[in-house]
Amino acid sequence: MNDDRDDALATFLHRLQWSLLALAACWLVWLLAPVLTPFVLAALLGWLGDPLVDRIERAGRSRNTAVILVFTVMASIVLLAVLLLVPLMQRQIVTLVTSLPHYRDWFVDVALPWVEARTGLQLIGWLDPARLIELARTHWEQTGGAAATMLGYLSRSGFALLGWVANIVLLPVLTFFFLRDWDLLVERVAALVPRRHTATVSRLAGESSEVLGGFLRGQLLVMLILGVLYGFGLWAVGLDLGVLIGVIAGLLTFVPYLGPATVVVLGGMAALVQFGDWQHLLGVAAVFGIGQVIESYWLTPKLVGDRIGLHPVAVVFAVLAGGQLFGFLGMLLALPVAAIANVLLRYAHERYTHSHLYAGDPPAILLDVAEPPVPAPPAPPLADNEGA
């Protein structure tokens, strides 16, 4: 009895140590989130490119040659995308800034009166410029504090911009080293796993890598194809900001329903401001419908499938929770962590269904003991035939 109690206490302390270690790791990630972002992004790129490096290496090339080839291809794709997108996005942003007065006039003259007529709320009076100036004069102290806060935010944003530039410069260097040393890093991490858990950890790591790799590669292709499709479709409808809206919708496709909702909301608003008729709204609806049909019946089943195995609500929660806890790094890690957590939960469910807690005590085996046969009574002796 005492031995069982000591074993249970030792198991509890062992699990408590691992839990404290996990909490300490999360706390450290939270502290170092701004610094870890380029390292995490470079590690993801290195992990995505490692299978191709291994394939080239198996074909007879050296590891360094394979890494240089894969890195050159990845850098060329990124450079081509930047050369194509940056001038296009620059023109779209200039168009957006030029169109802002039209959007303001539409909002004040069309949208707000329409809402007031159907709800009875008096919204235009609250947004009157004279009223806003009077409120600023009345609460000048708060306004001064807000201005000081805004100046502080702008100064911090300048340092944040420098940090982003440094991360962009650092990213290709880190990606190259992760590509070159990925197998070595995996071997060193695997060497730290306790020997009695090696088989289980290898199995879970393989499942996580397969699920995550298929999902990320497929999702990136879906985002690219839908971004091009939405941008070209809205441009064909005649929207001046169609390409910008399409690119934004494509980037937001990794969050379920957010990309299509962006097409409907922003595309519909741009059509109303620019044209103000129902024909162009129907054009936006047609682009949305075609994109949804292609995504639902071809892109997602063929390229992504059900590899991640998460409900759309869980995906949205993971992205929002990651952003709330760790900022941009959390949003970057949300889906990979959720995919790995789903693999671990499936393993935990498997262990639970085979455990004593779930199955209960095995039924007692009743042996059917056969009774010994009753001996037959002896046959009566044959009578002598006297007349024989």
Side-chain angles (χ1 to χ4, degrees), residues 73-227:
V73 171
M74 295 173 66
S76 300
I77 294 174
V78 173
L79 183 60
L80 180 62
V82 169
L83 292 177
L84 291 177
L85 285 178
V86 168
L88 186 60
M89 289 298 101
Q90 182 182 4
R91 290 194 294 268
Q92 289 283 288
I93 292 173
V94 170
T95 304
L96 175 62
V97 173
T98 307
S99 304
L100 284 179
H102 301 288
Y103 282 88
R104 180 198 59 201
D105 296 339
W106 176 83
F107 183 73
V108 174
D109 299 334
V110 178
L112 287 181
W114 187 85
V115 174
E116 285 185 348
R118 284 158 178 77
T119 61
L121 299 175
Q122 299 297 323
L123 300 175
I124 297 179
W126 287 94
L127 298 176
D128 182 58
R131 179 181 176 84
L132 295 178
I133 293 174
E134 183 62 28
L135 286 175
R137 289 176 179 175
T138 304
H139 304 282
W140 64 271
E141 293 182 355
Q142 290 87 342
T143 305
T149 303
M150 182 60 68
L151 289 175
Y153 173 76
L154 291 176
S155 63
R156 291 193 301 271
S157 298
F159 288 108
L161 180 61
L162 292 177
W164 273 99
V165 172
N167 290 338
I168 292 174
V169 174
L170 192 61
L171 181 60
V173 179
L174 294 174
T175 302
F176 178 83
F177 285 113
F178 273 113
L179 275 174
R180 191 191 66 179
D181 300 330
W182 185 260
D183 292 341
L184 181 61
L185 292 174
V186 171
E187 291 177 0
R188 290 184 176 179
V189 172
L192 298 176
V193 178
R195 296 298 91 187
R196 60 174 181 168
H197 299 304
T198 301
T200 302
V201 172
S202 299
R203 169 195 162 189
L204 295 178
E207 292 180 5
S208 300
S209 180
E210 181 180 358
V211 168
L212 192 56
F215 174 77
L216 287 182
R217 294 184 185 96
Q219 191 62 49
L220 288 175
L221 288 176
V222 170
M223 291 167 59
L224 176 62
I225 295 173
L226 285 181

Side-chain angles (χ1 to χ4, degrees), residues 46-64:
W47 170 69
L48 288 173
D50 180 69
L52 184 57
V53 172
D54 293 337
R55 186 176 302 178
I56 296 175
E57 192 175 5
R58 287 193 297 269
R61 303 285 184 176
S62 65
R63 180 75 182 184
N64 290 332

Side-chain angles (χ1 to χ4, degrees), residues 255-287:
V255 180
Y257 310 117
L258 187 57
T262 303
V263 174
V264 173
V265 175
L266 297 184
M269 185 182 300
L272 288 175
V273 172
Q274 186 175 343
F275 299 102
D277 54 27
W278 291 100
Q279 290 82 359
H280 289 85
L281 272 180
L282 291 177
V284 173
V287 172

